[in-house]
Amino acid sequence: MSELLIKNGIVYDPLNDICGEKKDIFVRDGKIVEEVKKPEILDVNGLLVLPGGVEGHAHLSGSKVNAGRLMRPEDGRRGLRRKTAITMPESGYSVINVYGEGYRYARMGYTTMVEAAMPILTAIHTHEELRDIPILDKLSMTLFGFNWFVMDYIRKGEMDKLAAYVAWALKISKGYGIKIVNPSGGENWKWGKNVSSIDEPNISFGVSAREILSSLMEVNEILDLPHPIHVHCNRLGQPGNYDIAIDTMKISSGFETKREREPLHVTHIMFSSYGGEKWKDFESKTDEVTKEVNSNKNASIDLGQLMFGDTTTMTADGALEFALCKLTGSKWSNSDTEMETGGGITPQIYSPSMPINAIQWAIGLESALLVKNPYQVWLTTDHPNGAPFTTYPEVISLLMSKDRRKKEIERVNKVVQKRAILSSLDREYGWNEIATITRASQAKAYQLNDKGHIGVGADADIAVFNINPEEVDPSKDYEEVERAFSATKYTIKGGEIVVRDGEIVKVFPGKTLWTNAEFDGYYELIEDDLKDWFSKYYTVSLSNYGVSDVYLTNPEVIKTNPKIGGRIEVPAE
Amino acid sequence: MQNITLKSKYDGRISVEAEIITPDNFSGKDAKEIGEMDLFMGNKTVKLKDIFEVSVEGSSENPEDTEIIIKGNTDRIKRIGEGMTSGKIVIEGDVDMHCGAMMRGGKIIVKGDADSWAGREMSGGELLIEGDAKNYIGGAYRGETYGMTGGKITVKGNVGAYLGEKMKDGEIVVEGDADMISGMEMLGGKIIIKGDAIMPGGEMKGGTVIVMGEVTDRMPTFKMDGMEIIEGIEFNRYTGDLSVRRAKGVLYMKG
Ligand SMILES: [Zn+2]
């Protein structure tokens, strides 16, 4: 029995309505408890204490991330850190090796991560890498946005089969929920084209983004999946795409869900809030987009904040990566994942003097400042697309300090004062709101009831930061804020101290969470279709497909209650 | 003035990573301090004194007044002079890869042959190789945007393939012959090859390559646009490599 007492910290725990209280926290056997008997005592008098951070959207593991590493040895040599007696070596700045990913998150007080894009076909690769990411608990989002089975069932109006396929695919890929990238448009990219609105039917399947989104949102509800459909919008990263983000969010308005979370999440909103018709008249449309968020309780967003510097962009949206590499002339890679998805990668250097980049930088911050309810916002950089996740401390300090934003605005291209609205925004985030957008919002959105808070019964995932929130004024001492969030005093994961004074002191594998939404007769519903297309089109056989449990570290299954099973009659042979 | 002599005792085949050997790191230190510095040999850490006998004459806090002479067998010693900013290194024998990589100033003289990547991403100073040199001399790190961005490399012998790959500025002079595709993906700067060359200028976008000897397998993607006399010799002037968009590389060849 291991016990811990964290004494006298200033606790912010939004999900339990604890806002800056001096408070003791008791830990036994990896859980928060009401009292302890003979604990190890950490007296953190006056220091900021938050629940362990939850990364809601990042690209950390799998074929695409690894292709990025292979493509960028020059990135690999940045951020080198030697191995120690307990840690493996670290490498990379934007495409980080698996060990470095775990250590760097842990040093920043994060204890849970979501890999945002997992193709079913290469899910084994994703889990092989997840297995080697130390410390963190791990979830992966399975890609469905232009999967052939999905589009075929939607085209035929076979919702039961669609639900069965999604349940099967989540189980076989060990995925947590439904990720949708460039719905319908991704299929057109295989013909070198794209879609321009959410109502345009695509080539060969004739289904639109709207049909895919609303069908999968329905299936998400039928299967009782814990997470909203997680959407990367059409025309992402293109001027004049803000109306698509709004149209996409509107699909969820009025939708009824039994789960206590939004039914739809629009990811990396920074890449989807663009006005103008061309790059020449490119401008921020954050005001319009956030107006929709503020009036639609059914949608949440994450920022996808862009920070200046060198990074690597990577997404299942192959068309976007091609457009980007045409802009920069940089190296580029594209892949087609058979009948399921695709992807592209290209490096980017975001420069504060470039008008486009300066406006993009402003848009991410504007989104956070304009959405009223912090539970509808998650802090992300869409790692590594907007910037590496290691820039979070700087983003936090920008959200907390108007002075810092003002200083930055003076440094970046002047166009930001005309074609963005950041300079007119006075709001400054408080500690509680920062705790919300880095932990509580994600825990709620993923329905991780033991995460993102430190109430009794929660996992003992705790971050203690070397800063006294009662003495420091984040509005003025923004550099202190950035420093404090860069490396914790303590990170505690499952009741164990893993980081002490910014250094990793203990390493062990975290849990792997996935969702099992199978229902009576679900496989029989789709068996013939699977066998048919696997024998005709796939390069692997059905029996060699999918991820077995041996790939998962400490697997934890989320079992759902699908509202479909009993009423399905499987036809006799 | 400080003169440091390193006499190699090493005849193993596992390479030794010796980026610590620079005037910047050695100046003002005595033989004992230098001997205690760490080197990597394979996956092990060794002391410099395990590989070299160290002797020091005089003392200087200023790397500019620091000269390192390396004697004995050094053909498995890598990265000598990496990132040095001033002073001088003289290597009496052959050196392994990455000699003078990322060098910013000062001078390195290699009296024997140099292996690949000598002068990689060098931005200043001078690297003189009296023997032959292998591939990617003055080139870029794998995946990087730029190779050499300044300084001068002279090779008295022959060089291998991809000389000055992605070179952006600075100068390379080769007195012997060059193997395949000198100036590959070059962006600026100048390469002079006094001997023969094979397929020079492939995918070059900027900069100048002059081949004074014979050229084998000329790239078909260069356009001849005039004649020029350089050092009394008549050259045809070509622009390319036109397989790359907006290419403005200049290639001089005879005939
Ligand atoms: Zn993403």
Side-chain angles (χ1 to χ4, degrees), chain A residues 348-377:
Chain A
Q348 285 277 322
I349 295 169
Y350 297 126
S351 158
S353 58
M354 272 276 293
I356 299 167
N357 297 159
I359 296 166
Q360 289 175 309
W361 165 81
I363 289 173
L365 296 170
E366 289 169 4
S367 311
L369 296 168
L370 284 167
V371 174
K372 294 192 181 108
N373 175 7
Y375 280 100
Q376 282 175 288
V377 180

PDB file of all heavy atoms in Angstrom, chain A residues 348-377:
ATOM      1  N   GLN A 348       7.223  22.881 -42.184  1.00  0.00           N
ATOM      2  CA  GLN A 348       6.818  24.285 -42.299  1.00  0.00           C
ATOM      3  C   GLN A 348       7.695  25.129 -41.398  1.00  0.00           C
ATOM      4  O   GLN A 348       8.014  24.701 -40.294  1.00  0.00           O
ATOM      5  CB  GLN A 348       5.384  24.461 -41.783  1.00  0.00           C
ATOM      6  CG  GLN A 348       4.315  23.950 -42.706  1.00  0.00           C
ATOM      7  CD  GLN A 348       3.954  24.945 -43.780  1.00  0.00           C
ATOM      8  OE1 GLN A 348       3.911  26.135 -43.528  1.00  0.00           O
ATOM      9  NE2 GLN A 348       3.726  24.464 -44.980  1.00  0.00           N
ATOM     10  N   ILE A 349       8.001  26.326 -41.860  1.00  0.00           N
ATOM     11  CA  ILE A 349       8.598  27.309 -40.946  1.00  0.00           C
ATOM     12  C   ILE A 349       7.614  28.458 -40.838  1.00  0.00           C
ATOM     13  O   ILE A 349       7.329  29.139 -41.816  1.00  0.00           O
ATOM     14  CB  ILE A 349       9.962  27.800 -41.454  1.00  0.00           C
ATOM     15  CG1 ILE A 349      10.960  26.643 -41.468  1.00  0.00           C
ATOM     16  CG2 ILE A 349      10.485  28.922 -40.541  1.00  0.00           C
ATOM     17  CD1 ILE A 349      12.249  26.949 -42.194  1.00  0.00           C
ATOM     18  N   TYR A 350       7.035  28.633 -39.656  1.00  0.00           N
ATOM     19  CA  TYR A 350       6.086  29.718 -39.426  1.00  0.00           C
ATOM     20  C   TYR A 350       6.869  30.939 -38.967  1.00  0.00           C
ATOM     21  O   TYR A 350       7.564  30.895 -37.956  1.00  0.00           O
ATOM     22  CB  TYR A 350       5.067  29.335 -38.366  1.00  0.00           C
ATOM     23  CG  TYR A 350       4.173  28.165 -38.725  1.00  0.00           C
ATOM     24  CD1 TYR A 350       4.066  27.075 -37.891  1.00  0.00           C
ATOM     25  CD2 TYR A 350       3.406  28.173 -39.900  1.00  0.00           C
ATOM     26  CE1 TYR A 350       3.222  26.009 -38.190  1.00  0.00           C
ATOM     27  CE2 TYR A 350       2.566  27.113 -40.207  1.00  0.00           C
ATOM     28  CZ  TYR A 350       2.474  26.042 -39.355  1.00  0.00           C
ATOM     29  OH  TYR A 350       1.638  24.986 -39.651  1.00  0.00           O
ATOM     30  N   SER A 351       6.729  32.009 -39.721  1.00  0.00           N
ATOM     31  CA  SER A 351       7.535  33.193 -39.428  1.00  0.00           C
ATOM     32  C   SER A 351       6.650  34.352 -38.984  1.00  0.00           C
ATOM     33  O   SER A 351       5.615  34.620 -39.601  1.00  0.00           O
ATOM     34  CB  SER A 351       8.308  33.580 -40.690  1.00  0.00           C
ATOM     35  OG  SER A 351       8.667  34.927 -40.626  1.00  0.00           O
ATOM     36  N   PRO A 352       7.058  35.068 -37.923  1.00  0.00           N
ATOM     37  CA  PRO A 352       6.240  36.194 -37.457  1.00  0.00           C
ATOM     38  C   PRO A 352       6.164  37.330 -38.475  1.00  0.00           C
ATOM     39  O   PRO A 352       5.233  38.133 -38.430  1.00  0.00           O
ATOM     40  CB  PRO A 352       6.960  36.656 -36.177  1.00  0.00           C
ATOM     41  CG  PRO A 352       8.309  36.041 -36.223  1.00  0.00           C
ATOM     42  CD  PRO A 352       8.228  34.823 -37.079  1.00  0.00           C
ATOM     43  N   SER A 353       7.097  37.383 -39.404  1.00  0.00           N
ATOM     44  CA  SER A 353       7.051  38.467 -40.390  1.00  0.00           C
ATOM     45  C   SER A 353       6.168  38.114 -41.588  1.00  0.00           C
ATOM     46  O   SER A 353       5.817  38.981 -42.385  1.00  0.00           O
ATOM     47  CB  SER A 353       8.472  38.804 -40.852  1.00  0.00           C
ATOM     48  OG  SER A 353       9.066  37.651 -41.386  1.00  0.00           O
ATOM     49  N   MET A 354       5.797  36.849 -41.716  1.00  0.00           N
ATOM     50  CA  MET A 354       4.908  36.434 -42.811  1.00  0.00           C
ATOM     51  C   MET A 354       3.477  36.812 -42.461  1.00  0.00           C
ATOM     52  O   MET A 354       2.949  36.380 -41.438  1.00  0.00           O
ATOM     53  CB  MET A 354       4.956  34.913 -42.982  1.00  0.00           C
ATOM     54  CG  MET A 354       6.029  34.413 -43.891  1.00  0.00           C
ATOM     55  SD  MET A 354       5.483  34.479 -45.612  1.00  0.00           S
ATOM     56  CE  MET A 354       4.180  33.227 -45.611  1.00  0.00           C
ATOM     57  N   PRO A 355       2.798  37.624 -43.305  1.00  0.00           N
ATOM     58  CA  PRO A 355       1.432  38.035 -42.976  1.00  0.00           C
ATOM     59  C   PRO A 355       0.508  36.855 -42.659  1.00  0.00           C
ATOM     60  O   PRO A 355      -0.215  36.883 -41.666  1.00  0.00           O
ATOM     61  CB  PRO A 355       0.973  38.760 -44.248  1.00  0.00           C
ATOM     62  CG  PRO A 355       2.218  39.163 -44.954  1.00  0.00           C
ATOM     63  CD  PRO A 355       3.271  38.176 -44.574  1.00  0.00           C
ATOM     64  N   ILE A 356       0.544  35.805 -43.474  1.00  0.00           N
ATOM     65  CA  ILE A 356      -0.368  34.675 -43.259  1.00  0.00           C
ATOM     66  C   ILE A 356      -0.131  34.054 -41.889  1.00  0.00           C
ATOM     67  O   ILE A 356      -1.065  33.823 -41.113  1.00  0.00           O
ATOM     68  CB  ILE A 356      -0.168  33.594 -44.352  1.00  0.00           C
ATOM     69  CG1 ILE A 356      -0.477  34.160 -45.744  1.00  0.00           C
ATOM     70  CG2 ILE A 356      -1.046  32.381 -44.076  1.00  0.00           C
ATOM     71  CD1 ILE A 356      -0.007  33.251 -46.873  1.00  0.00           C
ATOM     72  N   ASN A 357       1.138  33.789 -41.575  1.00  0.00           N
ATOM     73  CA  ASN A 357       1.465  33.132 -40.305  1.00  0.00           C
ATOM     74  C   ASN A 357       1.088  33.999 -39.115  1.00  0.00           C
ATOM     75  O   ASN A 357       0.615  33.495 -38.095  1.00  0.00           O
ATOM     76  CB  ASN A 357       2.956  32.785 -40.234  1.00  0.00           C
ATOM     77  CG  ASN A 357       3.400  31.797 -41.298  1.00  0.00           C
ATOM     78  OD1 ASN A 357       4.565  31.712 -41.629  1.00  0.00           O
ATOM     79  ND2 ASN A 357       2.457  31.044 -41.852  1.00  0.00           N
ATOM     80  N   ALA A 358       1.294  35.301 -39.245  1.00  0.00           N
ATOM     81  CA  ALA A 358       0.962  36.194 -38.133  1.00  0.00           C
ATOM     82  C   ALA A 358      -0.543  36.164 -37.868  1.00  0.00           C
ATOM     83  O   ALA A 358      -0.984  36.117 -36.716  1.00  0.00           O
ATOM     84  CB  ALA A 358       1.427  37.613 -38.450  1.00  0.00           C
ATOM     85  N   ILE A 359      -1.329  36.157 -38.926  1.00  0.00           N
ATOM     86  CA  ILE A 359      -2.790  36.104 -38.754  1.00  0.00           C
ATOM     87  C   ILE A 359      -3.203  34.752 -38.174  1.00  0.00           C
ATOM     88  O   ILE A 359      -4.041  34.675 -37.272  1.00  0.00           O
ATOM     89  CB  ILE A 359      -3.501  36.374 -40.102  1.00  0.00           C
ATOM     90  CG1 ILE A 359      -3.193  37.796 -40.586  1.00  0.00           C
ATOM     91  CG2 ILE A 359      -5.014  36.183 -39.970  1.00  0.00           C
ATOM     92  CD1 ILE A 359      -3.560  38.060 -42.036  1.00  0.00           C
ATOM     93  N   GLN A 360      -2.593  33.688 -38.656  1.00  0.00           N
ATOM     94  CA  GLN A 360      -2.911  32.355 -38.122  1.00  0.00           C
ATOM     95  C   GLN A 360      -2.616  32.282 -36.629  1.00  0.00           C
ATOM     96  O   GLN A 360      -3.399  31.739 -35.845  1.00  0.00           O
ATOM     97  CB  GLN A 360      -2.083  31.281 -38.849  1.00  0.00           C
ATOM     98  CG  GLN A 360      -2.524  31.049 -40.286  1.00  0.00           C
ATOM     99  CD  GLN A 360      -1.606  30.067 -40.996  1.00  0.00           C
ATOM    100  OE1 GLN A 360      -0.383  30.225 -40.985  1.00  0.00           O
ATOM    101  NE2 GLN A 360      -2.180  29.056 -41.631  1.00  0.00           N
ATOM    102  N   TRP A 361      -1.483  32.850 -36.242  1.00  0.00           N
ATOM    103  CA  TRP A 361      -1.095  32.862 -34.824  1.00  0.00           C
ATOM    104  C   TRP A 361      -2.178  33.571 -34.009  1.00  0.00           C
ATOM    105  O   TRP A 361      -2.592  33.094 -32.946  1.00  0.00           O
ATOM    106  CB  TRP A 361       0.265  33.568 -34.691  1.00  0.00           C
ATOM    107  CG  TRP A 361       0.635  33.970 -33.313  1.00  0.00           C
ATOM    108  CD1 TRP A 361       1.163  33.173 -32.352  1.00  0.00           C
ATOM    109  CD2 TRP A 361       0.484  35.275 -32.734  1.00  0.00           C
ATOM    110  NE1 TRP A 361       1.372  33.894 -31.207  1.00  0.00           N
ATOM    111  CE2 TRP A 361       0.970  35.179 -31.409  1.00  0.00           C
ATOM    112  CE3 TRP A 361       0.006  36.506 -33.194  1.00  0.00           C
ATOM    113  CZ2 TRP A 361       0.971  36.286 -30.550  1.00  0.00           C
ATOM    114  CZ3 TRP A 361       0.020  37.595 -32.343  1.00  0.00           C
ATOM    115  CH2 TRP A 361       0.493  37.476 -31.035  1.00  0.00           C
ATOM    116  N   ALA A 362      -2.650  34.709 -34.539  1.00  0.00           N
ATOM    117  CA  ALA A 362      -3.675  35.477 -33.819  1.00  0.00           C
ATOM    118  C   ALA A 362      -4.980  34.696 -33.715  1.00  0.00           C
ATOM    119  O   ALA A 362      -5.653  34.720 -32.680  1.00  0.00           O
ATOM    120  CB  ALA A 362      -3.913  36.807 -34.527  1.00  0.00           C
ATOM    121  N   ILE A 363      -5.337  33.964 -34.764  1.00  0.00           N
ATOM    122  CA  ILE A 363      -6.629  33.273 -34.798  1.00  0.00           C
ATOM    123  C   ILE A 363      -6.770  32.257 -33.671  1.00  0.00           C
ATOM    124  O   ILE A 363      -7.812  32.185 -33.006  1.00  0.00           O
ATOM    125  CB  ILE A 363      -6.838  32.582 -36.174  1.00  0.00           C
ATOM    126  CG1 ILE A 363      -7.076  33.644 -37.254  1.00  0.00           C
ATOM    127  CG2 ILE A 363      -8.012  31.600 -36.134  1.00  0.00           C
ATOM    128  CD1 ILE A 363      -7.136  33.084 -38.670  1.00  0.00           C
ATOM    129  N   GLY A 364      -5.718  31.487 -33.422  1.00  0.00           N
ATOM    130  CA  GLY A 364      -5.791  30.488 -32.356  1.00  0.00           C
ATOM    131  C   GLY A 364      -6.094  31.145 -31.023  1.00  0.00           C
ATOM    132  O   GLY A 364      -6.999  30.716 -30.281  1.00  0.00           O
ATOM    133  N   LEU A 365      -5.371  32.201 -30.712  1.00  0.00           N
ATOM    134  CA  LEU A 365      -5.569  32.894 -29.433  1.00  0.00           C
ATOM    135  C   LEU A 365      -6.960  33.526 -29.376  1.00  0.00           C
ATOM    136  O   LEU A 365      -7.647  33.459 -28.348  1.00  0.00           O
ATOM    137  CB  LEU A 365      -4.488  33.968 -29.248  1.00  0.00           C
ATOM    138  CG  LEU A 365      -3.049  33.436 -29.152  1.00  0.00           C
ATOM    139  CD1 LEU A 365      -2.050  34.584 -29.214  1.00  0.00           C
ATOM    140  CD2 LEU A 365      -2.849  32.619 -27.875  1.00  0.00           C
ATOM    141  N   GLU A 366      -7.361  34.131 -30.480  1.00  0.00           N
ATOM    142  CA  GLU A 366      -8.702  34.742 -30.535  1.00  0.00           C
ATOM    143  C   GLU A 366      -9.782  33.712 -30.207  1.00  0.00           C
ATOM    144  O   GLU A 366     -10.739  34.006 -29.484  1.00  0.00           O
ATOM    145  CB  GLU A 366      -8.979  35.299 -31.940  1.00  0.00           C
ATOM    146  CG  GLU A 366      -8.180  36.534 -32.282  1.00  0.00           C
ATOM    147  CD  GLU A 366      -8.285  36.901 -33.776  1.00  0.00           C
ATOM    148  OE1 GLU A 366      -9.046  36.228 -34.511  1.00  0.00           O
ATOM    149  OE2 GLU A 366      -7.594  37.836 -34.193  1.00  0.00           O
ATOM    150  N   SER A 367      -9.630  32.507 -30.757  1.00  0.00           N
ATOM    151  CA  SER A 367     -10.650  31.483 -30.529  1.00  0.00           C
ATOM    152  C   SER A 367     -10.794  31.206 -29.042  1.00  0.00           C
ATOM    153  O   SER A 367     -11.909  31.100 -28.531  1.00  0.00           O
ATOM    154  CB  SER A 367     -10.277  30.177 -31.234  1.00  0.00           C
ATOM    155  OG  SER A 367      -9.921  30.428 -32.560  1.00  0.00           O
ATOM    156  N   ALA A 368      -9.650  31.089 -28.366  1.00  0.00           N
ATOM    157  CA  ALA A 368      -9.708  30.815 -26.928  1.00  0.00           C
ATOM    158  C   ALA A 368     -10.323  31.985 -26.179  1.00  0.00           C
ATOM    159  O   ALA A 368     -11.065  31.802 -25.212  1.00  0.00           O
ATOM    160  CB  ALA A 368      -8.309  30.536 -26.395  1.00  0.00           C
ATOM    161  N   LEU A 369     -10.040  33.198 -26.623  1.00  0.00           N
ATOM    162  CA  LEU A 369     -10.484  34.379 -25.883  1.00  0.00           C
ATOM    163  C   LEU A 369     -11.951  34.711 -26.160  1.00  0.00           C
ATOM    164  O   LEU A 369     -12.603  35.381 -25.365  1.00  0.00           O
ATOM    165  CB  LEU A 369      -9.597  35.579 -26.229  1.00  0.00           C
ATOM    166  CG  LEU A 369      -8.127  35.414 -25.793  1.00  0.00           C
ATOM    167  CD1 LEU A 369      -7.251  36.487 -26.422  1.00  0.00           C
ATOM    168  CD2 LEU A 369      -8.003  35.431 -24.272  1.00  0.00           C
ATOM    169  N   LEU A 370     -12.460  34.265 -27.307  1.00  0.00           N
ATOM    170  CA  LEU A 370     -13.828  34.628 -27.670  1.00  0.00           C
ATOM    171  C   LEU A 370     -14.872  33.594 -27.271  1.00  0.00           C
ATOM    172  O   LEU A 370     -16.059  33.921 -27.187  1.00  0.00           O
ATOM    173  CB  LEU A 370     -13.916  34.893 -29.181  1.00  0.00           C
ATOM    174  CG  LEU A 370     -13.330  36.246 -29.611  1.00  0.00           C
ATOM    175  CD1 LEU A 370     -13.173  36.300 -31.124  1.00  0.00           C
ATOM    176  CD2 LEU A 370     -14.193  37.403 -29.118  1.00  0.00           C
ATOM    177  N   VAL A 371     -14.463  32.357 -27.056  1.00  0.00           N
ATOM    178  CA  VAL A 371     -15.445  31.363 -26.607  1.00  0.00           C
ATOM    179  C   VAL A 371     -15.677  31.568 -25.114  1.00  0.00           C
ATOM    180  O   VAL A 371     -14.746  31.581 -24.320  1.00  0.00           O
ATOM    181  CB  VAL A 371     -14.979  29.922 -26.897  1.00  0.00           C
ATOM    182  CG1 VAL A 371     -15.953  28.914 -26.291  1.00  0.00           C
ATOM    183  CG2 VAL A 371     -14.870  29.698 -28.397  1.00  0.00           C
ATOM    184  N   LYS A 372     -16.967  31.751 -24.754  1.00  0.00           N
ATOM    185  CA  LYS A 372     -17.264  32.145 -23.375  1.00  0.00           C
ATOM    186  C   LYS A 372     -17.097  30.985 -22.393  1.00  0.00           C
ATOM    187  O   LYS A 372     -16.578  31.158 -21.302  1.00  0.00           O
ATOM    188  CB  LYS A 372     -18.692  32.690 -23.302  1.00  0.00           C
ATOM    189  CG  LYS A 372     -18.843  33.984 -24.093  1.00  0.00           C
ATOM    190  CD  LYS A 372     -20.174  34.661 -23.780  1.00  0.00           C
ATOM    191  CE  LYS A 372     -20.329  35.937 -24.607  1.00  0.00           C
ATOM    192  NZ  LYS A 372     -21.335  35.783 -25.684  1.00  0.00           N
ATOM    193  N   ASN A 373     -17.560  29.800 -22.778  1.00  0.00           N
ATOM    194  CA  ASN A 373     -17.530  28.667 -21.866  1.00  0.00           C
ATOM    195  C   ASN A 373     -16.239  27.873 -22.057  1.00  0.00           C
ATOM    196  O   ASN A 373     -16.061  27.218 -23.076  1.00  0.00           O
ATOM    197  CB  ASN A 373     -18.745  27.775 -22.150  1.00  0.00           C
ATOM    198  CG  ASN A 373     -18.740  26.503 -21.330  1.00  0.00           C
ATOM    199  OD1 ASN A 373     -17.899  26.328 -20.450  1.00  0.00           O
ATOM    200  ND2 ASN A 373     -19.678  25.619 -21.636  1.00  0.00           N
ATOM    201  N   PRO A 374     -15.339  27.911 -21.056  1.00  0.00           N
ATOM    202  CA  PRO A 374     -14.044  27.233 -21.261  1.00  0.00           C
ATOM    203  C   PRO A 374     -14.173  25.726 -21.457  1.00  0.00           C
ATOM    204  O   PRO A 374     -13.266  25.095 -21.981  1.00  0.00           O
ATOM    205  CB  PRO A 374     -13.254  27.557 -19.994  1.00  0.00           C
ATOM    206  CG  PRO A 374     -14.252  28.000 -18.992  1.00  0.00           C
ATOM    207  CD  PRO A 374     -15.416  28.559 -19.748  1.00  0.00           C
ATOM    208  N   TYR A 375     -15.314  25.153 -21.063  1.00  0.00           N
ATOM    209  CA  TYR A 375     -15.499  23.714 -21.294  1.00  0.00           C
ATOM    210  C   TYR A 375     -15.695  23.384 -22.771  1.00  0.00           C
ATOM    211  O   TYR A 375     -15.661  22.222 -23.158  1.00  0.00           O
ATOM    212  CB  TYR A 375     -16.678  23.175 -20.473  1.00  0.00           C
ATOM    213  CG  TYR A 375     -16.299  22.921 -19.042  1.00  0.00           C
ATOM    214  CD1 TYR A 375     -16.625  23.829 -18.048  1.00  0.00           C
ATOM    215  CD2 TYR A 375     -15.581  21.778 -18.702  1.00  0.00           C
ATOM    216  CE1 TYR A 375     -16.256  23.596 -16.740  1.00  0.00           C
ATOM    217  CE2 TYR A 375     -15.208  21.538 -17.397  1.00  0.00           C
ATOM    218  CZ  TYR A 375     -15.551  22.445 -16.409  1.00  0.00           C
ATOM    219  OH  TYR A 375     -15.176  22.210 -15.116  1.00  0.00           O
ATOM    220  N   GLN A 376     -15.914  24.415 -23.588  1.00  0.00           N
ATOM    221  CA  GLN A 376     -16.017  24.157 -25.036  1.00  0.00           C
ATOM    222  C   GLN A 376     -14.675  24.317 -25.743  1.00  0.00           C
ATOM    223  O   GLN A 376     -14.604  24.246 -26.966  1.00  0.00           O
ATOM    224  CB  GLN A 376     -17.063  25.091 -25.662  1.00  0.00           C
ATOM    225  CG  GLN A 376     -18.496  24.637 -25.409  1.00  0.00           C
ATOM    226  CD  GLN A 376     -19.497  25.651 -25.945  1.00  0.00           C
ATOM    227  OE1 GLN A 376     -19.649  26.728 -25.373  1.00  0.00           O
ATOM    228  NE2 GLN A 376     -20.162  25.320 -27.034  1.00  0.00           N
ATOM    229  N   VAL A 377     -13.611  24.560 -24.968  1.00  0.00           N
ATOM    230  CA  VAL A 377     -12.296  24.821 -25.569  1.00  0.00           C
ATOM    231  C   VAL A 377     -11.259  23.868 -24.984  1.00  0.00           C
ATOM    232  O   VAL A 377     -11.241  23.629 -23.781  1.00  0.00           O
ATOM    233  CB  VAL A 377     -11.838  26.270 -25.251  1.00  0.00           C
ATOM    234  CG1 VAL A 377     -10.476  26.543 -25.877  1.00  0.00           C
ATOM    235  CG2 VAL A 377     -12.851  27.281 -25.732  1.00  0.00           C
TER     236      VAL A 377
END
